[in-house]
Amino acid sequence: MTQKATTIRAAGSIDQNATIALWDAAGLTRPWNDARADFDLALKTETSTILLAEQAGTICGSVMVGFDGHRGWVYYLATAPDQRGQGIGRLMMLAAEDWLKALGSPKIQLMVRGDNHAARGFYSAIGYELQDVVTIGKRL
């Protein structure tokens, strides 16, 4: 099997439809979160971005990354379902880590739904540790 060359780049507004289609295919979208608003806000905020992986001009991976001044955060890590297991997720996380390091972030964090054992296993395999914290939120 021939490994395709993967390019990592920052998303632009023209990438919105393809990126959200990837998020849908990866099972990341939820009816109570407006993925289009998330995409737009990430692109217009100086301390956040969406990084994309492309192979032969097709988006095959994404990660939304942001720095709040204290910690880096990751959302919407996605790999095209038919391309999982090829290292794209790992590549996207390395790109997110590099992006955050360039901003001076000392730590990266993310949230995974408790029942998403596959994602938890993936993050464990690339060196992330479960932390004893509780997420508390409120819709504004």
Side-chain angles (χ1 to χ4, degrees):
M1 183 172 162
T2 305
Q3 183 72 15
K4 294 179 183 176
T6 303
T7 304
I8 305 294
R9 66 173 178 84
S13 58
I14 194 167
D15 299 307
Q16 186 187 65
N17 288 337
T19 303
I20 292 172
L22 173 66
W23 294 349
D24 284 336
L28 298 180
T29 57
R30 296 293 183 264
W32 54 87
N33 283 338
D34 183 345
R36 291 185 182 287
D38 289 348
F39 184 98
D40 290 341
L41 187 57
L43 293 192
K44 71 179 174 183
T45 305
E46 289 184 19
T47 57
S48 63
T49 195
I50 298 169
L51 302 174
L52 301 175
E54 278 188 334
Q55 291 180 349
T58 300
I59 294 171
C60 59
S62 77
V63 64
M64 180 186 290
V65 59
F67 180 51
D68 64 14
H70 182 65
R71 297 287 185 254
W73 287 91
V74 167
Y75 302 92
Y76 290 111
L77 175 68
T79 298
D82 63 339
Q83 293 180 280
R84 289 187 179 153
Q86 297 180 20
I88 296 168
R90 180 182 301 264
L91 188 64
M92 296 311 302
M93 287 304 294
L94 288 172
E97 291 171 9
D98 288 345
W99 191 89
L100 288 166
K101 286 177 196 172
L103 287 180
S105 179
K107 184 179 180 186
I108 187 171
Q109 298 184 154
L110 54 105
M111 294 178 278
V112 175
R113 289 182 179 87
D115 63 352
N116 191 341
H117 301 290
R120 291 171 66 169
F122 166 78
Y123 287 114
S124 178
I126 63 170
Y128 284 71
E129 300 171 349
L130 187 62
Q131 300 187 350
D132 188 20
V133 296
V134 175
T135 302
I136 300 171
K138 178 182 178 181
R139 296 241 178 240
L140 302 176

